[in-house]
């Protein structure tokens, strides 16, 4: 998943992974492209000596400890303004060196992405971009030996304007506390948001997919009369199910610090709760079949893998667009997906006793054989509750590109492993899509959507 830096994408006119050589070369002399809190230029590769290792570790950690940023290798600057192109080598040796330095000289290691931008006239050279997202795992320390001994700094850099500043002891203590409390709060927030939806759907006895998302940097959706009217219009025009050609939701309602949206009534009707901080959850009823293995007795119920994966493909961009576009959240988000055969089987409901509730049928995930119309018994066990977790980049999911496919594959594979599948086979972990393997109900819609998004090989 490519790092998204929105201000720089506006400056460059496109995503970082779509930038070409001429766009960067044309920055020469552009005062709007001067070095800043999220942008830095280097004329050449970092040196292989102690000073070079320290400088590289310091620069990436400073971005990660602040708002994220972009290092452009191959551009000289004059008073911060790009002044001349100096192509650098783009060979694997230099890229490996950068990876080793960052891994060995920052703690915890700074996440980043390398993007090669070759010169069309000399493809082995060009610009090398190091895109560093804001890190939820900060503060990141520089562990490389200091080139100049100092007892006044703690070796935790942070970007300040176009320069690097060093965190004080108080800054570091505050950042560490924020890291650990934020991680615990995000996990708890994910659980709380999911639990509210499960409680709302507690009477349902049919299998559901529940997808919950919590941004790592929360936003703030304002709910007032004017904005609520706009939200109503947006939501009523939403086509949740990709390329099915119909709108999904009735008029949304206001709940406690959230919007509540539903499909028309039914035991499989979708329900979503969209919270002010950008957190959101949706419950989607799964289409199920019944299997009769002994006479006319129904032994189990099952859903097809294609239905599960398709619902994930639909749910993730819906939730991410709420977080990004209504609440103004940015960066990454935590996602939990859960398959539950009956709401009574969800962990938050298992202690509730309902003697009048019908027994839950065993639940499997199996495809229908297209020839016979019978269940193809590919699962190896029943499972009444399964869950999966992933971290996603909001922009990638909203854009419905490879990032969405990768996130869907990670969640779907983990869910189906509870039923004995090593992987779904519908989407690979590197974002290769196989529409023909989806169910008859949605294979056509997936193929149309994939063509529209340019996701078919």
């Amino acid at each position: 998943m490519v790092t998204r830096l929105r201000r720089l994408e506006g400056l460059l006119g496109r995503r970082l992974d779509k930038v070409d050589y001429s766009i960067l070369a044309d920055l020469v002399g552009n005062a709007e492209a001067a070095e800043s809190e999220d942008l830095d230029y280097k004329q050449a590769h970092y040196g292989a000596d102690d000073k070079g290792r320290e400088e590289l570790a310091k620069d990436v950690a400073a971005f990660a400890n602040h708002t994220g940023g972009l290092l452009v290798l191959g551009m000289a600057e004059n008073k911060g303004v790009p002044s001349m192109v100096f192509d650098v080598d783009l060979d694997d040796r230099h890229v490996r060196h950068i990876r080793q330095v960052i891994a060995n000289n920052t703690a915890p290691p700074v996440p980043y992405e390398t993007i090669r931008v070759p010169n069309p006239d000399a493809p082995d050279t060009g610009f090398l971009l190091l895109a560093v997202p804001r890190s939820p795992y900060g503060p990141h320390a520089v562990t490389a030996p200091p080139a100049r001994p100092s007892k006044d700094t703690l070796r935790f850099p942070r970007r300040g304007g176009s320069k690097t500043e060093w965190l004080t002891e108080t800054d570091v203590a505050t950042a560490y506390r924020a890291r650990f409390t934020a991680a615990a709060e995000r996990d708890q927030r994910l659980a709380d948001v999911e639990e509210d939806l499960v409680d709302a759907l507690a009477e349902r006895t049919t299998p559901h997919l529940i997808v919950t998302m919590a941004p790592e940097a929360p936003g703030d959706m304002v709910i007032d009369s004017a904005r609520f009217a706009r939200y109503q219009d947006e939501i009523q025009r939403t086509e949740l199910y990709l390329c099915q050609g119909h709108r999904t939701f009735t008029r949304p309602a206001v709940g406690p610090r959230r919007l509540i949206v539903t499909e028309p009534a039914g035991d499989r009707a979708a329900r979503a709760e969209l919270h002010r901080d950008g957190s959101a959850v949706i419950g989607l009823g799964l289409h199920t079949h019944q299997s009769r293995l002994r006479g006319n007795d129904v032994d189990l119920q099952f859903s097809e893998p294609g239905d599960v994966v398709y619902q994930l493909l639909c749910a993730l961009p819906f939730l991410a667009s709420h977080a990004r576009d209504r609440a103004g959240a940015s960066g990454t988000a935590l996602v939990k997906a859960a398959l539950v055969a009956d709401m009574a089987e969800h962990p938050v409901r298992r202690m509730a006793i309902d003697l009048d509730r019908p027994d839950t049928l065993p639940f499997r995930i199996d495809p229908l054989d297209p020839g016979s119309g019978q269940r193809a018994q590919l699962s190896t066990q029943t499972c009444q509750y399964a869950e999966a977790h992933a971290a996603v980049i909001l922009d990638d999911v909203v854009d419905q590109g490879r990032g969405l496919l990768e996130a869907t594959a990670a969640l779907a594979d983990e869910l189906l492993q509870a039923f004995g599948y090593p992987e779904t086979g519908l989407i690979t972990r590197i974002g290769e899509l196989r529409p023909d393997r989806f169910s008859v109900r949605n294979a056509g819609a997936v193929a149309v959507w994939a063509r529209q998004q340019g996701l078919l090989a």
Side-chain angles (χ1 to χ4, degrees):
M1 300 182 197
V2 69
T3 300
R4 305 297 299 273
L5 301 171
R6 302 297 289 276
R7 189 191 78 84
L8 297 182
E9 289 180 0
L11 173 68
L12 299 170
R14 61 188 65 186
R15 287 169 40 142
L16 297 181
D17 59 336
K18 303 297 182 183
V19 170
D20 60 34
Y21 184 84
S22 63
I23 288 176
L24 293 172
D26 288 344
L27 295 180
V28 171
N30 184 352
E32 293 183 358
E35 291 182 331
S36 60
E37 289 190 335
D38 58 359
L39 183 60
D40 198 3
Y41 300 105
K42 301 294 177 183
Q43 178 175 319
H45 279 292
Y46 290 88
D49 56 2
D50 286 348
K51 181 179 180 181
R53 287 191 288 272
E54 180 196 24
E55 190 72 12
L56 173 56
K58 173 177 68 70
D59 287 344
V60 296
F63 278 140
N65 287 338
H66 193 40
T67 59
L70 182 69
L71 280 165
V72 181
L73 279 61
M75 179 75 80
E77 50 82 20
N78 182 16
K79 297 181 179 179
V81 177
S83 59
M84 186 175 295
V85 172
F86 284 89
D87 289 352
V88 297
D89 291 332
L90 302 180
D91 58 294
D92 289 341
R93 179 174 62 87
H94 282 95
V95 173
R96 283 197 303 270
H97 172 72
I98 290 170
R99 183 171 64 248
Q100 290 168 355
V101 168
I102 293 175
N104 295 332
N105 295 277
T106 61
V110 169
Y112 75 101
E113 182 176 10
T114 302
I115 303 172
R116 293 179 171 96
V117 185
N119 183 337
D121 297 325
D124 292 336
T125 65
F127 297 103
L128 187 64
L129 310 182
L130 303 183
V132 183
R134 176 186 178 185
S135 175
Y137 308 108
H140 295 269
V142 174
T143 59
R148 291 182 297 179
S150 172
K151 58 184 178 182
D152 297 323
T153 62
L154 295 175
R155 312 287 294 156
F156 289 87
R158 177 177 61 195
R159 195 74 173 171
S162 61
K163 304 297 182 182
T164 297
E165 59 191 22
W166 296 91
L167 300 183
T168 66
E169 184 173 3
T170 299
D171 291 332
V172 173
T174 301
Y176 267 115
R177 182 179 185 279
R179 181 208 292 181
F180 295 118
T181 58
E185 289 170 357
R186 283 191 298 270
D187 290 343
Q188 187 60 50
R189 182 62 178 149
L190 206 65
D192 290 344
V193 169
E194 181 190 34
E195 182 174 350
D196 284 350
L197 182 83
V198 172
D199 287 343
L201 303 180
E203 300 304 315
R204 296 198 182 178
T205 60
T206 56
H208 277 64
L209 173 71
I210 301 172
V211 186
T212 314
M213 181 176 291
E216 293 196 293
D220 185 16
M221 173 183 66
V222 177
I223 301 177
D224 57 25
S225 296
R227 290 179 177 86
F228 180 56
R230 189 176 77 243
Y231 301 152
Q232 285 183 313
D233 182 62
E234 290 172 356
I235 291 168
Q236 286 182 287
R237 289 188 287 107
T238 297
E239 295 183 6
L240 172 67
Y241 301 107
L242 302 177
C243 286
Q244 295 284 10
H246 61 82
R247 298 175 182 178
T248 306
F249 297 112
T250 56
R251 291 172 65 85
V254 175
R257 299 181 61 81
R258 73 195 71 172
L259 300 175
I260 299 172
V261 296
T262 59
E263 278 188 289
D267 63 352
R268 292 189 177 90
R271 178 187 173 98
E273 299 189 0
L274 312 175
H275 293 254
R276 282 188 55 181
D277 65 353
S279 300
V281 60
I282 189 167
L284 299 165
L286 288 168
H287 184 79
T288 56
H289 309 271
Q290 293 183 337
S291 177
R292 292 174 170 82
L293 299 181
R294 296 193 299 268
N296 290 322
D297 293 334
V298 176
D299 282 46
L300 57 86
Q301 59 185 336
F302 67 98
S303 294
E304 296 185 70
D307 288 334
V308 175
V309 178
Y310 176 70
Q311 300 246 34
L312 279 170
L313 279 175
C314 297
L316 288 172
F318 174 73
L319 301 180
S321 64
H322 165 70
R324 190 192 74 176
D325 300 334
R326 291 194 194 94
S330 61
T332 55
L334 303 181
V335 179
K336 176 185 175 184
L339 279 174
V340 57
D342 181 314
M343 287 302 161
E345 300 290 342
H346 196 285
V348 304
R349 301 294 306 173
R350 282 179 182 159
M351 296 303 293
I353 299 175
D354 184 354
L355 298 178
D356 295 327
R357 196 178 188 97
D359 292 337
T360 304
L361 286 171
F363 182 55
R364 288 187 182 239
I365 301 294
D366 280 317
L368 284 177
D369 182 88
S372 66
Q374 301 299 311
R375 179 170 71 98
Q377 300 181 37
L378 300 185
S379 61
T380 61
Q381 64 252 1
T382 61
C383 181
Q384 301 304 91
Y385 175 82
E387 64 181 52
H389 299 81
V392 302
I393 297 175
L394 290 173
D395 285 317
D396 280 358
V397 175
V398 175
D399 289 348
Q400 297 187 25
R402 295 287 173 192
L404 171 59
L405 296 183
E406 293 167 5
T408 301
L411 291 166
D413 286 353
E414 188 174 343
L415 284 175
L416 265 62
Q417 284 165 8
F419 297 86
Y421 292 81
E423 58 189 6
T424 68
L426 280 69
I427 307 176
T428 69
R429 288 297 185 99
I430 60 173
E432 295 175 338
L433 183 66
R434 296 163 180 164
D436 59 304
R437 298 192 181 186
F438 282 72
S439 68
V440 173
R441 294 169 49 81
N442 48 51
V446 171
V448 171
W449 170 77
R451 283 194 296 270
Q452 291 176 350
Q453 299 299 122
L455 295 173
L456 293 179

